[in-house]
Amino acid sequence: MAAGNLKRRLKAGETLFGIFCDIPSPQIVELAGLIGYDFAFIDAEHTTASLDGVEHMVRAADTRGLASLVRVGHNHHSSILRHMDSGANGVLMPLVNSAEDVLDAVAAVKYPPLGRRGLAHVRAAGYAVNTGLGAFMAQSNAETVVMVQIETAEAVKNLDAICAVEELDAVFFGATDLAASLGYSAQLQASGSEHPEIIKLVLDLGYKAMKAGKPVGISAHSLAAYNRWRSAGFQIMATVASLQFVAGARGLLKDCRPGS
């Protein structure tokens, strides 16, 4: 299971680079795996991706050994369950504000005794064709990933309690939403906040989460941003597919049409 590899690599302290699939496309997921990304965030929060569409994207990740985490639209048990049953290796839960929010996500991702996820002959279990449900349940509990986004002022206040949840695997900082939540909307860049006060805040919060034993991550859309966060100990970096397409296409067009 790709998630097991992802979880082991996080625990080993490796730096992992992933892609936000903000364009609902199995082909983009597959290309990300071929290019060499470590994981894909399949965005079901800010896109029109359907349940079927997410499953096809998860399947594409599987074909290339790419770990897939679905950024779900709601912290709702049935929504998480259906994405997990499709074979996703875990979830990225947005807008988490409290330890209770984290526990709700854990309960939906994990089977008893760690959670309350229902067991069935689903794709994630290989339809129980070659592996018994009991063995699958144990493997899933050991390997699936629960990652949360810290992107509100309330979450900042509750970060210690959030990080105290044992089954939480990693913390990802949503700098753009965090900046907006704290009143920095006018200073936001298209690819996230580069306001020095937000950078300092995220660094401070990241150190706090790392001290609590949680790997931390953030979006990095340039080498300079990557180097900043990596030197601070951030392990999880992600870039947005559409932003990379725009940057690459615009750069090529500029080279081919000087002065345009």
Side-chain angles (χ1 to χ4, degrees), residues 9 23 55 57 66 97 111 168 176 212 219 237-238 253:
R9 293 176 71 186
I23 302 172
E55 181 172 318
M57 294 169 78
L66 189 67
N97 290 314
Y111 293 105
L168 175 63
T176 303
S219 294
M237 312 289 178
L253 189 61

Side-chain angles (χ1 to χ4, degrees), residues 22-147:
D22 62 330
I23 302 172
S25 166
Q27 290 84 356
I28 288 178
V29 175
E30 191 171 11
L31 283 169
L34 289 167
I35 290 168
Y37 283 97
D38 298 301
F39 64 89
F41 286 140
I42 297 172
D43 195 355
E45 180 193 18
H46 287 295
T47 74
T48 58
S50 65
L51 281 169
D52 283 348
V54 169
E55 181 172 318
H56 288 312
M57 294 169 78
V58 168
R59 185 177 288 110
D62 290 344
T63 67
R64 300 301 175 183
L66 189 67
S68 59
L69 287 84
V70 178
R71 178 161 72 172
V72 300
H74 304 282
N75 193 351
H76 190 276
H77 191 99
S78 63
S79 297
I80 297 171
L81 170 68
R82 288 185 288 178
H83 288 311
M84 292 303 299
D85 280 356
S86 76
N89 302 139
V91 297
L92 174 65
M93 180 59 60
L95 296 172
V96 164
N97 290 314
S98 66
E100 289 73 21
D101 289 344
V102 183
L103 290 169
D104 285 342
V106 170
V109 169
K110 302 292 183 179
Y111 293 105
L114 301 179
R116 301 190 303 275
R117 180 179 169 187
L119 190 61
H121 297 74
V122 293
R123 180 180 182 273
Y127 309 104
V129 172
N130 296 316
T131 303
L133 289 180
F136 162 71
M137 184 170 66
Q139 181 187 17
S140 179
N141 272 357
E143 297 185 354
T144 47
V145 173
V146 177
M147 192 180 306

Side-chain angles (χ1 to χ4, degrees), residues 176-188:
T176 303
D177 278 325
L178 182 57
S181 176
L182 295 173
Y184 289 87
S185 299
Q187 292 83 19
L188 293 181

Side-chain angles (χ1 to χ4, degrees), residues 196-207:
E197 292 178 22
I198 294 299
I199 291 173
K200 182 181 184 304
L201 173 63
V202 172
L203 286 170
D204 291 343
L205 296 173
Y207 293 140

